[in-house]
Amino acid sequence: MTGLFYRFDNEVPTDFHELRQFGNSLWTANGKVKTMGRSTVAEFASPQAARDALAQRGQEIEAQGYKLTRQGIHDPARIDFPLLATEIREGARRAFQAIRAAHPGETVRFVIEDLISAAAFQEPGRGFCRSRHSLGTIPSWHPSLR
């Protein structure tokens, strides 16, 4: 199990806490955003005791004003393509919205080459989008960016 918590200032993350349970161990990290922060590992008598500690620590972190932004199961040996696709899509959406807001009424053109991975707009394992796309006003060209 994992949990990722952020503290925000005007909707911008400033601090983080991350919790990960691996068997009998609970790994924790915390610090400022865009840093590695500090990490610790605690060992417990059983996986259930580690899960209980993760749940309790998560409640303590939320009581300090942090917001749980992601929770799930972490497998370091596997890429989570649906999560990766969501992160890329949401990041692109926010970037395009910010550009539109900064340039109202203007046509914004982008050329994308080898930046749109299979994880973002195709099925996993189908390779990369290698063609060049001159995109008119963003993001009307692709339904996932609307």
Side-chain angles (χ1 to χ4, degrees), residues 63-113:
Q64 295 172 12
Y66 287 81
K67 180 182 175 189
L68 178 63
T69 59
R70 185 173 301 132
Q71 184 175 10
I73 297 173
H74 175 73
D75 181 354
R78 181 174 107 19
I79 294 175
D80 188 342
F81 282 104
L83 176 60
L84 179 59
T86 300
E87 293 291 329
I88 292 169
R89 190 170 36 253
E90 292 302 314
R93 183 178 289 123
R94 285 190 303 273
F96 293 147
Q97 289 170 349
I99 291 167
R100 281 180 157 171
H103 303 280
E106 295 181 34
T107 299
V108 179
R109 297 204 181 276
F110 290 90
V111 175
I112 297 177
E113 181 177 15

Side-chain angles (χ1 to χ4, degrees), residues 13 18 21 27 32 49 65 70 72 86 100 105 127 130:
E18 186 172 0
Q21 182 219 342
W27 176 86
K32 293 290 183 187
R70 185 173 301 132
T86 300
R100 281 180 157 171
R130 297 243 180 241

Side-chain angles (χ1 to χ4, degrees), residues 12-45:
V12 175
T14 58
D15 301 277
F16 77 94
H17 274 275
E18 186 172 0
L19 307 173
R20 294 184 184 182
Q21 182 219 342
F22 299 101
N24 294 359
S25 301
L26 178 61
W27 176 86
T28 63
N30 67 297
K32 293 290 183 187
V33 171
K34 298 183 182 180
T35 70
M36 295 297 291
R38 287 171 270 146
S39 65
T40 61
V41 177
E43 295 292 329
F44 294 89

